[in-house]
C-alpha cells in the first residue's frame, strides 16, 4: 500500500471524475480527492497511514502525521495541544507561526533572548538558558537548526522535561536524521518541513509525536479539508529517494563546493552546523545586495536571502555537480566584475542579545482587544495590536501586547513600507490597543 499505488490504480480506472477538484485532472493528474481508491489524511487507513508509520519508524518516534499546510499549521497544532492559558518558555527568535499559536490559545510566553552575531544572525538558545525556567512552565519550545543552519544540543534537558511538553521547531531539520546530526526524537513533538531540506513540494510537512494519546485530532485541527495529494505523494517520494540516495557522496560534494568557494578571494563561507546552509560573506567594499542582483541577472543564480552582511543559499541533496560548477564559475566572474580585493572578512563573533520590547498584556489578550490605527511615528509608548515579523525568516520584531518604543519604530520604518507578513501595518500606520 502506498499513496503512489493508490494514485496509479485510480489513474488507470477513472474515466470520468465526477468530484472535486473542478479542473478534473487538467492541471495535474494526481491532484484528486478522497475516494474509495485513495486515502483520507484526516482519518487515514491505507497509503497515507502506511507512509506515516514508515516515517515514524525511520525517525524513531511513536507516531508521525502528515500535514499539507507546512510547518506553520503543525506548529500551531502543537501549541493547541499545550492548552489554553499555559505558560511556555521559547526563544524570542521563534517563527511567527508559534506566536500565532500563542495568540490563539491565550498562552503566556517566557522569552529567552537569542544572541545576535556580527552578521546579524540570531543564534540558537543555549540549553543551560532553559534550566532556570523548567520548574515554572508547562511547555518548552526549541528551534533546531536555525534558518541560517546553527544547532544546539538540548539533550541535557531531557530529565527536566519529563513531565512537560517539549516541542521542536525542526522546520529546517528534516534531513538531519539522514546525516546523523542531532537527533531529537526524545521530544514530545517535532515539526519538520519536508519541503525545505528534503524533496517534498512546498507545504509538505510532518509532525513526529511521542505523546501518550493520539495526536491526530490536533494534527487535523488546522488541516485543510481539501488536502493536496501531489504534496502528500511528494513526501512519500522524498522518503523513497532518501533511502536510495548516496548521502555520503552528496555531503562530500557539498564540502568540496564550500572549500572551492573559500578559495575564491573576496568570498568567504561562514562556518555553521548544517551542511545544506551556505552562508557567504564578501569583500566589505561591495554591497551584498549588488552582488546578489548581479548573480541573478547575469548568471541566473537566486539566493534564499541577502542582507547587507551576507547571502544565504540553500543547498540540497537534489543539487547537481553541474550547478555547483556553474556557481563557482559565476563567483569567479563576479570577482572580476566587482574587482574584489583579497582581503579577508572578519569572523562572525557573538555580539549582543536580541531586542525584546516590554510586554504590557498577553499576546492573545491584546490581539482580541479593541484597536485603533495611528501613524507609526506617533505610536511611541502605545501597546501594539499587531504581530510584525519581517520575512525571512519570520521571527517577530513586535508582538501584540508589547509597548512600541523608539527602537521598534526605527526598525519598522527602515523596512521602507514593506510590511510583509503583517496585516496590521499599512501606509505607515499601525494598529494599537485602544
Ligand atoms: C524556523 C521556522 N519555523 C517554521 C517555519 C514555517 O515553515 P513552513 O514554511 O513549512 O510553514 C519557518 C519558515 O520559514 C521557519 O523558518
Amino acid at each position: 500500500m502506498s499513496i503512489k499505488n493508490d494514485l496509479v490504480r485510480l489513474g488507470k480506472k477513472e474515466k470520468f471524475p465526477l468530484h472535486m477538484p473542478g479542473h478534473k485532472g487538467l492541471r495535474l493528474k494526481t491532484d484528486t480527492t478522497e475516494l474509495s481508491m485513495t486515502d483520507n489524511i484526516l482519518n487515514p487507513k491505507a497509503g497515507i497511514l502506511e507512509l506515516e508509520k514508515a516515517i515514524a519508524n525511520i525517525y524513531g518516534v511513536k507516531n508521525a502525521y502528515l500535514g499539507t499546510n507546512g510547518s506553520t499549521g503543525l506548529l500551531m497544532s502543537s501549541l493547541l495541544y499545550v492548552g489554553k492559558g499555559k505558560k511556555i518558555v521559547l526563544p524570542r527568535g521563534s517563527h511567527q507561526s508559534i506566536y500565532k499559536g500563542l495568540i490563539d490559545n491565550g498562552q503566556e510566553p517566557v522569552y529567552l533572548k537569542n544572541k545576535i552575531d556580527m552578521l546579524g544572525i540570531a543564534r540558537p538558545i543555549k540549553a543551560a538558558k532553559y534550566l532556570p525556567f523548567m520548574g515554572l512552565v508547562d511547555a518548552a519550545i526549541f528551534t533546531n537548526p536555525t534558518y541560517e543552519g546553527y544547532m544546539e544540543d538540548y539533550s541535557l534537558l531531557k530529565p527536566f522535561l519529563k513531565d512537560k511538553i517539549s516541542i521542536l521547531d525542526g522546520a529546517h531539520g528534516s534531513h538531519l536524521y539522514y546525516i546523523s546530526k542531532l537527533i531529537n526524537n526524545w521530544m514530545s513533538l517535532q515539526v519538520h518541513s519536508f519541503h525545505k531540506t528534503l524533496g517534498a513540494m512546498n507545504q509538505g510537512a510532518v509532525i513526529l509525536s511521542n505523546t501518550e494519546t493520539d495526536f491526530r485530532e490536533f494534527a487535523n485541527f488546522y488541516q485543510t479539508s481539501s488536502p493536496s495529494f501531489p504534496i502528500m505523494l511528494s513526501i512519500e517520494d522524498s522518503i523513497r529517494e532518501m533511502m536510495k540516495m548516496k548521502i555520503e557522496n552528496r555531503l562530500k560534494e557539498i564540502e568540496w563546493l564550500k572549500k572551492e568557494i573559500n578559495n575564491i578571494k573576496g568570498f568567504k563561507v561562514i562556518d555553521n552546523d548544517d551542511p545544506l546552509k551556505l552562508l557567504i560573506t564578501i569583500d566589505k567594499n561591495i554591497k551584498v545586495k549588488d552582488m546578489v542582483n548581479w548573480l541573478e541577472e547575469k548568471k541566473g543564480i537566486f539566493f534564499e536571502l541577502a542582507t547587507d552582511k551576507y547571502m544565504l543559499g540553500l543547498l540540497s541533496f537534489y543539487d547537481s555537480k553541474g550547478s555547483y560548477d556553474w556557481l563557482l564559475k559565476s563567483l569567479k566572474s563576479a570577482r572580476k566584475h566587482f574587482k574584489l580585493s583579497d582581503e579577508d572578512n572578519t569572523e562572525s563573533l557573538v555580539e549582543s542579545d536580541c531586542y525584546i520590547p516590554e510586554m504590557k498584556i498577553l499576546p492573545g489578550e491584546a490581539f482580541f482587544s479593541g484597536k485603533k490605527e495611528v501613524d507609526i511615528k506617533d505610536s511611541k509608548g502605545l501597546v501594539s495590536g499587531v504581530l510584525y515579523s519581517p520575512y525571512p525568516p519570520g521571527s517577530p520584531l513586535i508582538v501584540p501586547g508589547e509597548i512600541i518604543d523608539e527602537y521598534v519604530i526605527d526598525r519598522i520604518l527602515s523596512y521602507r513600507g514593506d510590511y510583509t507578513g503583517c496585516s496590521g501595518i499599512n501606509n505607515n500606520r499601525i494598529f494599537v490597543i485602544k
Side-chain angles (χ1 to χ4, degrees), residues 108-120:
E108 184 182 345
V110 178
Y111 295 126
L112 298 174
K113 289 183 176 179
N114 295 81
K115 291 274 182 201
I116 308 293
D117 70 19
M118 296 270 282
L119 297 176

Side-chain angles (χ1 to χ4, degrees), residues 331-343:
L331 294 183
K332 282 173 193 162
S333 307
R335 171 177 157 68
K336 274 196 202 134
H337 177 81
F338 286 96
K339 300 186 179 61
L340 299 189
S341 81
D342 293 354
E343 190 193 329

Side-chain angles (χ1 to χ4, degrees), residues 69-73 75 93-98 143 145-147 169-172 192-196 203-205 304 391-394:
N69 301 340
S71 285
T72 295
L75 283 165
S94 294
H95 187 256
Q96 59 175 346
S97 52
I98 291 172
T143 307
T146 60
Y147 183 62
D169 176 356
H172 295 273
H192 292 304
S193 294
F194 274 43
H195 67 92
K196 289 190 193 296
Q203 295 174 220
E304 166 78 21
Y391 219 91

Side-chain angles (χ1 to χ4, degrees), residues 174-192:
S174 48
H175 61 300
L176 298 184
Y177 290 79
Y178 303 95
I179 59 174
S180 309
K181 275 215 169 201
L182 272 188
I183 313 291
N184 294 292
N185 55 5
W186 54 273
M187 292 210 191
S188 319
L189 295 164
Q190 300 163 74
V191 178
H192 292 304

Side-chain angles (χ1 to χ4, degrees), residues 190-332:
Q190 300 163 74
V191 178
H192 292 304
S193 294
F194 274 43
H195 67 92
K196 289 190 193 296
T197 52
L198 290 178
M201 283 166 60
N202 261 339
Q203 295 174 220
V206 172
I207 187 159
L208 307 172
S209 151
N210 286 313
T211 55
E212 285 306 320
T213 51
D214 191 4
F215 191 77
R216 176 83 58 203
E217 178 192 353
F218 297 94
N220 284 351
F221 200 82
Y222 297 101
Q223 181 65 262
T224 164
S225 50
S226 310
S228 158
F229 273 89
I231 291 177
M232 291 187 276
L233 177 60
S234 74
I235 295 177
E236 183 178 274
D237 285 342
S238 71
I239 293 285
R240 203 177 289 121
E241 285 149 9
M242 286 311 285
M243 293 305 170
K244 286 196 207 136
M245 193 114 43
K246 293 202 166 54
I247 312 271
E248 271 308 304
N249 294 351
R250 309 258 73 170
L251 290 173
K252 273 187 199 144
E253 274 171 19
I254 288 174
E255 209 175 300
W256 169 82
L257 172 73
K258 291 186 174 176
K259 216 180 272 168
E260 289 297 309
I261 294 174
N262 269 336
N263 286 338
I264 307 173
K265 293 230 159 58
F267 291 94
K268 184 172 177 190
V269 175
I270 298 291
D271 265 349
N272 57 8
D273 308 308
D274 181 353
L276 298 189
K277 295 296 173 80
L278 177 64
L279 268 179
I280 305 178
T281 54
I282 58 171
D283 178 343
K284 277 177 259 151
N285 300 316
I286 306 296
K287 284 198 176 120
V288 176
K289 290 209 170 131
D290 290 346
M291 169 70 73
V292 164
N293 289 344
W294 187 87
L295 286 167
E296 280 186 9
E297 201 184 311
K298 301 288 180 204
K299 303 293 174 185
I301 296 172
F302 288 73
F303 277 80
E304 166 78 21
L305 169 74
T307 72
D308 52 355
K309 299 233 168 64
Y310 65 92
M311 42 209 192
L312 171 65
L314 172 69
L315 302 173
S316 137
F317 300 123
Y318 292 82
D319 290 334
S320 68
K321 172 74 169 46
S323 305
Y324 290 174
D325 290 339
W326 178 242
L327 175 62
L328 290 171
K329 206 170 157 197
S330 304
L331 294 183
K332 282 173 193 162

